Amino acid sequence: MTEHLYSVDQVADLLGLHVRTIRNYVREGRLRAVRIGKQYRIAPADLEEFTGTPVPGSAPAEPEPAPRHAEASSIVEVEGVDARTADRLTTLLTSVAGGPRPGGRPLRVETVYDPARARMKVIVLGPLSETARLLDYIEGVLAS
């Protein structure tokens, strides 16, 4: 038997009642108890049934689930970009990534421009909504 049984004194302390009141509850059958020798013992389940609330410390607390966390990792390749547009896009994206954001979660942006091929690559790592917003900015700059 591994279940802890409460004494009448312990139940009285838990409920903030007098010991005689608890004994009366047991004798009247309002609170189930087991008699061991000359003393009553009360199972936590019986005490919970009597009070209608969980007994503090009777059951181990369930661990809280870890908060969900989702991030996006995006690579955008843009062809036919001149150096001026690449600079403009890099400045915009890095300033947005370095500025304040809701939730304070980090947002990383890396840009690489290859002038010989007129090609730009943008790597974005961060929260889903922030990444989507950066992708909109890229589309906006390229459309202008």
Side-chain angles (χ1 to χ4, degrees), residues 21-37:
T21 304
I22 301 302
R23 282 192 191 117
N24 286 336
Y25 288 157
V26 170
R27 288 181 188 131
E28 293 167 1
R30 295 171 64 188
L31 174 60
R32 260 191 278 172
V34 176
R35 191 168 185 131
I36 300 174

Side-chain angles (χ1 to χ4, degrees), residues 111-127:
T111 60
V112 178
Y113 177 65
D114 182 359
R117 296 182 179 174
R119 180 186 282 178
M120 181 175 191
K121 189 177 279 192
V122 180
I123 303 168
V124 181
L125 306 168

Side-chain angles (χ1 to χ4, degrees), residues 39-104:
Q39 298 182 348
Y40 291 109
R41 296 291 180 199
I42 299 149
D46 292 333
L47 183 56
E48 287 180 4
E49 183 181 321
F50 178 74
T51 61
T53 60
V55 177
S58 65
E62 291 186 26
E64 290 190 26
R68 289 194 176 159
H69 178 77
E71 281 192 354
S73 302
S74 304
I75 300 173
V76 180
E77 292 184 9
V78 184
E79 305 226 359
V81 177
D82 60 15
R84 186 169 177 262
T85 303
D87 284 344
R88 199 169 125 212
L89 195 54
T90 299
T91 302
L92 172 68
L93 297 177
T94 54
S95 67
V96 170
R101 286 177 308 285

